[in-house]
Amino acid sequence: EKEGKRRGAGGEIEKKALSKLPPEQPFGEGPPSSTECFIPFLASFLVLGIIPFIAAANRQFKVKYKITDRRVSVTGGLDGKDITEFSYQEIKTMEYQLRWFGYCADMRIDLRDGAKVEMFGLLNFEDNYEYILSRVEKDAKNRSTRAPRDLKGVQLW
């Protein structure tokens, strides 16, 4: 009797081990591009430019983007402890605006619940955008802006 219970318990442990998800695989991780500090730094020589420079420098230390195979995470806020996480199934649309001739970009992600997540100065943008776009549902992919590599050679006006 005791041996049967032990075998049953072992079988349950094996089933639990098989049902666990593999660990998340990070694709991209880091702060916004430091290029967003350049113009505020130049403007800081004027008295009015000090505040935008402090805000841009603060973002460098407080904001972190993380893109994994399961979700996107943005850490930010004044103290750097506000965390916004969402899975790829929650994405409704994605739009972007390139900065510094494509070195980085600002991306806005609209979620199905109406929330908007903005990622400013996202580095390695083309790879990150294509990775996220490959993981969203087909409807969201059709509503989103095409990847920059897909637009090369296309006349926009």
Side-chain angles (χ1 to χ4, degrees):
E1 233 178 84
K2 289 182 182 179
E3 288 178 17
K5 288 182 182 178
R6 286 183 190 155
R7 276 190 231 146
E12 289 176 22
I13 292 171
E14 289 176 18
K15 287 179 185 177
K16 287 181 183 179
L18 291 175
S19 67
K20 285 186 181 178
L21 292 173
E24 277 185 291
Q25 300 296 320
F27 179 77
E29 189 171 357
S33 171
S34 58
T35 57
E36 76 172 325
C37 292
F38 182 67
I39 292 175
F41 172 74
L42 294 178
S44 69
F45 292 112
L46 304 171
V47 175
L48 295 176
I50 293 172
I51 294 170
F53 176 71
I54 291 170
N58 186 43
R59 273 192 300 275
Q60 287 298 303
F61 296 108
K62 304 289 183 180
V63 176
K64 301 283 184 255
Y65 303 128
K66 184 176 182 180
I67 300 169
T68 69
D69 60 343
R70 288 193 205 135
R71 63 188 166 91
V72 177
S73 175
V74 179
T75 305
L78 290 175
D79 57 356
K81 295 182 181 178
D82 295 338
I83 299 174
T84 302
E85 293 182 336
F86 53 92
S87 67
Y88 298 109
Q89 291 78 23
E90 296 177 51
I91 295 176
K92 183 178 177 184
T93 61
M94 296 191 311
E95 297 175 350
Y96 65 87
Q97 180 64 46
L98 296 175
R99 277 194 194 187
W100 294 98
F101 306 104
Y103 176 73
C104 61
D106 298 339
M107 183 166 62
R108 188 183 82 209
I109 300 174
D110 298 332
L111 303 179
R112 294 188 188 280
D113 65 358
K116 295 178 184 352
V117 178
E118 294 183 340
M119 301 169 76
F120 295 106
L122 185 63
L123 287 171
N124 196 14
F125 174 72
E126 288 185 10
D127 293 334
N128 287 328
Y129 189 78
E130 287 178 2
Y131 183 79
I132 294 171
L133 200 60
S134 71
R135 296 196 167 270
V136 299
E137 294 176 355
K138 192 172 184 177
D139 292 341
K141 190 181 288 188
N142 292 337
R143 285 190 296 264
S144 299
T145 306
R146 291 172 42 192
R149 289 184 184 133
D150 295 343
L151 294 176
K152 289 186 177 158
V154 175
Q155 186 173 359
L156 299 175
W157 51 83

